[in-house]
Amino acid sequence: MQAWKRYTQNELNTSNPIKNTIYIYERCIIEFKKLDKALAKLHFSEADLILDKMEKIFEELKLQLNPEAGQELYDNIFGLYEWISEQIRQMQLLKQPVNIDTIIHVITQLKEGYEGVMKHESNKDTFG
């Protein structure tokens, strides 16, 4: 297991930021699905661990946004991250799933957007 963790960490450290963000989104989708099941089964300690992790991830994602890439895009994505963070705080407080399906949908849309950017960058590199 340690070798896998080292490999994953090395991949994240050496890959491009768009690819890293896509990976983070994929992991968040998995974690929110696990959270939904944990809350449904009333496994609050497991849910708390997931919520704490998700809270930290979205705070970090907010810090990584670059306003120089376009203020409107920055504002829109920051707003989505803020909304997700608020849903996380509500779940921490209420110990109930709050908009999890919508959160997963939003993250999926963000992931697809980043995949489109990565594909566009790849085509630009190929076709100059």
Side-chain angles (χ1 to χ4, degrees):
M1 188 71 162
Q2 289 296 346
W4 177 251
K5 285 184 179 181
R6 282 194 307 273
Y7 171 79
T8 302
Q9 186 62 43
N10 187 49
E11 280 293 301
L12 286 172
N13 289 339
T14 59
S15 69
N16 82 30
I18 295 171
K19 188 174 181 179
N20 289 346
T21 303
I22 292 168
Y23 175 77
I24 291 167
Y25 288 156
E26 289 170 347
R27 294 301 311 162
C28 286
I29 290 167
I30 291 167
E31 292 298 315
F32 276 111
K33 287 178 180 179
K34 285 180 9 184
L35 172 63
D36 197 25
K37 289 178 185 174
L39 288 170
K41 293 179 182 180
L42 305 177
H43 296 163
F44 297 125
S45 60
E46 180 184 350
D48 285 340
L49 291 173
I50 295 169
L51 286 165
D52 287 343
K53 183 185 335 179
M54 293 295 95
E55 184 176 37
K56 290 174 186 165
I57 287 170
F58 280 92
E59 289 305 313
E60 183 63 32
L61 284 169
K62 284 186 246 181
L63 293 173
Q64 291 180 11
L65 286 175
N66 182 0
E68 293 175 14
Q71 191 64 44
E72 184 178 356
L73 180 62
Y74 172 87
D75 291 342
N76 289 337
I77 295 175
F78 189 89
L80 290 171
Y81 290 167
E82 275 291 305
W83 178 80
I84 292 169
S85 294
E86 179 57 33
Q87 304 316 297
I88 291 168
R89 286 187 289 276
Q90 288 295 317
M91 286 185 263
Q92 289 170 323
L93 182 67
L94 301 172
K95 304 293 187 213
Q96 295 178 9
V98 177
N99 294 319
I100 289 182
D101 289 338
T102 305
I103 292 168
I104 291 171
H105 177 74
V106 167
I107 296 170
T108 301
Q109 295 296 313
L110 287 166
K111 179 176 111 27
E112 290 171 359
Y114 273 77
E115 288 169 338
V117 168
M118 200 159 102
K119 184 176 180 179
H120 176 73
E121 290 297 316
S122 174
N123 287 341
K124 194 165 69 172
D125 290 343
T126 303
F127 299 110

